[in-house]
């Protein structure tokens, strides 16, 4: 099987590697915050969103799958611009994820759930968009596609990632709507993914 990939340079791969390292640290910190507070016995969670997680993972996996052609001179303008774009995307992804998980505090979880003692988070990035962590994941996926030269993979993987995201959002909104009476007012004010647009 022959893969069509774009040539890439080391600056983009290094930026992606550093970004992944920082992202993992932010993820471990978010997980530690969640572990500090015991699960509420009456917490409500949506296991249906697990299928969304699976589709998102497959979409991201498709984007990252295949060979990487490191053919660009690392000092070339193309390689340096590519590296700068990947770095900006990864910094945006890490910042969005970290600030969102900090705003959520003990409410953060991989699978949608709410706690009886939880609150509807409307601060930090949630004051501007309702799903900043999914936007962070999309930025990460785009950065990986650019760093690996996997434009065609992005075209194939993005629809699966989008479908998985939509499945998770739909289930999470149902859980939040059932738990917080003020959720509809919040949803009317704050867009899902792009401030003031969508």
């Amino acid at each position: 099987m022959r893969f069509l990939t774009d040539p890439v340079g080391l600056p983009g791969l290094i930026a992606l590697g550093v970004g992944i390292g920082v992202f993992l640290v932010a993820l471990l910190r978010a997980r530690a915050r969640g572990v500090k507070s015991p699960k509420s016995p009456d917490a409500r969670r949506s296991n249906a969103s697990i299928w969304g997680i699976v589709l998102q993972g497959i979409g991201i996996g498709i984007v990252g799958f295949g060979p990487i052609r490191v053919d660009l001179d690392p000092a070339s303008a193309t390689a340096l611009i590519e590296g700068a774009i990947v770095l900006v995307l990864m910094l945006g992804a890490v910042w969005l994820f970290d600030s969102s998980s900090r705003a959520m505090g003990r409410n953060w979880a991989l699978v949608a759930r709410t706690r009886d003692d939880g609150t509807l988070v409307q601060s930090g990035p949630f004051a501007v968009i309702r799903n900043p962590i999914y936007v962070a994941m999309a930025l990460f996926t785009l950065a990986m596609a650019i760093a690996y030269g996997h434009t065609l993979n992005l075209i194939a993987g993005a629809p699966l990632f989008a479908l998985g995201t939509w499945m998770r959002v739909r289930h999470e909104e149902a859980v939040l709507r059932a738990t917080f009476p003020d959720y509809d007012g919040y949803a009317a004010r704050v867009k899902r993914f792009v401030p003031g647009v969508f």
Side-chain angles (χ1 to χ4, degrees):
M1 181 176 195
R2 188 165 186 269
F3 290 90
L4 295 174
T5 60
D6 304 320
V8 297
L10 284 176
L13 292 171
I14 291 169
L16 183 69
V18 170
I20 289 172
V22 176
F23 191 86
L24 288 174
V25 169
L27 180 62
L28 292 172
R29 287 175 50 195
R31 180 78 179 128
R33 280 190 294 272
V35 169
K36 287 180 185 173
S37 56
K39 275 189 178 176
S40 172
D42 42 7
R44 288 174 295 281
R45 69 189 270 160
S46 172
N47 288 325
S49 68
I50 290 175
W51 289 109
I53 293 169
V54 169
L55 282 177
Q56 284 178 317
I58 292 170
I60 293 169
I62 287 171
V63 172
F65 183 76
I68 302 168
R69 287 179 37 214
V70 187
D71 292 341
L72 297 179
D73 175 356
S76 70
T78 303
L80 293 173
I81 290 169
E82 173 189 276
I85 291 169
V86 170
L87 183 63
V88 167
L89 289 170
M90 288 303 294
L91 289 174
V94 169
W95 178 82
L96 265 178
F97 175 79
D98 188 55
S99 58
S100 300
S101 65
R102 279 188 287 113
M104 291 179 79
R106 63 192 175 125
N107 293 314
W108 182 83
L110 183 61
V111 177
R113 68 173 168 83
T114 58
R115 306 162 53 98
D116 279 350
D117 61 347
T119 59
L120 179 61
V121 179
Q122 300 180 52
S123 60
F126 294 96
V128 182
I129 53 176
R130 296 195 319 254
N131 298 286
I133 291 177
Y134 296 144
V135 173
M137 291 171 64
L139 292 175
F140 172 87
T141 304
L142 181 58
M144 183 171 60
I146 293 169
Y148 289 175
H150 290 178
T151 306
L152 292 178
N153 293 30
L154 181 64
I155 293 167
L160 286 174
F161 176 82
L163 177 60
T165 300
W166 182 250
M167 289 171 66
R168 291 184 75 181
V169 165
R170 190 171 58 92
H171 290 294
E172 289 169 6
E173 287 182 352
V175 170
L176 293 169
R177 191 167 278 115
T179 306
F180 302 110
D182 54 341
Y183 181 77
D184 284 328
Y186 168 66
R189 287 190 319 274
V190 179
K191 299 296 184 185
R192 282 187 180 104
F193 303 109
V194 179
V197 179
F198 172 65

